[in-house]
Amino acid sequence: MTAITRLDDLLSGLKGAAPRRLAVAAGHDPHTLEAAMRAAAEGIALVTLVADKRRLDEMAATLGPLPAGVNVVDEADPSIAAARAVALVRSGQADVLMKGLVATSDYMKRILDRELGLLPPGRVLSHVTVLELPRLPRLLFVADVAIIPQPDVAAKMQILEYCLHAARSFGIVRPRVALIAATEKVSAKMPATVEADEIRRLALDGRFGDAIVDGPLALDVAISPEACRIKELDSPVGGLADILVFPNIETGNVFYKTATQLAGARVAAAVVGTTAPCVLTSRADDEESKLLSIALGCRLAG
């Protein structure tokens, strides 16, 4: 498999393959509906909209009729719609879950329900984001930018494993991982550097399989060979990172928003650690971001 280096290739690579089954919780907002309809029309997913059928019928006047491959389960209450969509995934009737017009708190509550949810015991819920940046010739897999405020070493190890799974599903045979901090020097005054060094040592012992893991690394030397040359840094990851693991949600979230708002990054994202990928997008995200996130969920489900 040739490594996927652009998000458009992610979409094209799913066409012609067996479509995954997507359950959309409260799928009656326009951007979510447009993305789900396009995924169905292009053969990426077989879609079940757990949604208010009356509102879907009203939107059909603008968006057109639902294409083949879209099924509707009529449910007007968003919270109950989320529960029913989760149940479809839990029972094996769907491979990917997606958030529609339901509050994130309700969506996550249903996913995290100990009896009826999708998070296995002992697993950390996390969030993997794939970024396509105009000036970078490869995709970046980054985490965690949305869910875990202050991951400890054990959580960071699971986050790293999720990113490795995603990168490998894109055809990156031996991913390069940068454990991000403010400096390359290990200092007890900066816990992120100490934890990065601990994880690096575990990687050298084979903890993460065929992957190159280094840290602590500052962001510039993680992605810029020129920065490594100037700083005279000898790192097996230096300038070539496929994966960035951030020390906390502040650094990850600021990086994500800088990349998307100022650097023109395209993005796909999914909640992972669950028994099936869960697409979690903002109501403000456009159709393209939602479609790309559906595609990521389908890739990870594969």
Side-chain angles (χ1 to χ4, degrees):
M1 174 184 173
T2 302
I4 296 170
T5 59
R6 287 289 177 261
L7 290 175
D8 285 339
D9 296 332
L10 168 63
L11 289 172
S12 61
L14 291 170
K15 296 175 183 177
R20 301 296 167 189
R21 299 165 299 170
L22 174 70
V24 185
H28 45 254
D29 79 281
H31 286 324
T32 300
L33 181 58
E34 288 173 324
M37 289 171 64
R38 184 173 165 191
E42 296 186 12
I44 294 171
L46 300 173
V47 179
T48 297
L49 300 170
V50 186
D52 185 341
K53 189 175 184 304
R54 178 186 61 80
R55 295 179 68 175
L56 291 177
D57 290 341
E58 291 173 354
M59 285 188 282
T62 302
L63 301 179
L66 298 176
V70 177
N71 180 49
V72 176
V73 175
D74 188 16
E75 178 53 66
D77 185 288
S79 182
I80 296 175
R84 295 181 70 176
V86 166
L88 289 174
V89 176
R90 186 178 174 89
S91 66
Q93 298 177 70
D95 308 301
V96 181
L97 180 70
M98 183 177 187
K99 173 184 175 294
L101 197 60
V102 56
T104 298
S105 57
D106 283 340
Y107 182 72
M108 298 305 297
K109 178 182 177 181
R110 301 299 184 177
I111 291 171
L112 294 171
D113 187 290
R114 291 187 178 183
E115 299 297 326
L116 303 174
L118 303 177
L119 184 66
R123 297 287 279 179
V124 169
L125 191 76
S126 188
H127 187 269
V128 171
T129 303
V130 185
L131 293 168
E132 178 187 310
L133 289 144
R135 295 178 58 185
L136 203 65
R138 64 187 182 280
L139 297 172
L140 280 181
F141 298 78
V142 305
D144 184 308
V145 307
I147 291 181
I148 306 179
Q150 192 71 42
D152 58 15
V153 169
K156 286 177 182 177
M157 289 171 62
Q158 286 199 41
I159 290 169
L160 174 49
E161 288 173 343
Y162 300 153
C163 289
L164 287 170
H165 170 64
R168 288 167 178 152
S169 77
F170 277 58
I172 302 172
V173 177
R174 197 180 190 202
R176 290 180 170 88
V177 181
L179 305 168
I180 298 299
T183 177
E184 293 77 53
K185 295 180 180 180
V186 179
S187 170
K189 295 181 179 180
M190 301 180 71
T193 65
V194 177
E195 293 180 354
D197 187 58
E198 181 179 345
I199 296 170
R200 178 188 66 83
R201 293 174 185 274
L202 290 170
L204 289 175
D205 291 336
R207 175 65 177 78
F208 303 105
D210 194 9
I212 304 172
V213 180
D214 198 15
L217 292 174
L219 180 62
D220 56 349
V221 295
I223 61 176
S224 169
E226 178 67 6
C228 293
R229 186 189 66 79
I230 293 170
K231 290 187 175 183
E232 299 182 344
L233 179 70
D234 183 17
S235 166
V237 172
L240 299 172
D242 302 297
I243 295 170
L244 307 179
V245 177
F246 291 101
N248 52 47
I249 200 170
E250 284 88 356
T251 52
N253 191 264
V254 169
F255 171 82
Y256 166 78
K257 289 179 178 174
T258 301
T260 54
Q261 298 300 313
L262 298 180
R266 301 172 74 203
V267 60
V271 172
V272 294
T274 42
T275 55
C278 303
V279 178
L280 174 61
T281 56
S282 167
R283 284 173 291 180
D285 287 343
D286 61 16
E287 175 198 346
E288 181 191 59
S289 292
K290 292 176 186 286
L291 177 64
L292 291 172
S293 295
I294 290 172
L296 174 61
C298 290
R299 172 69 66 176
L300 295 179

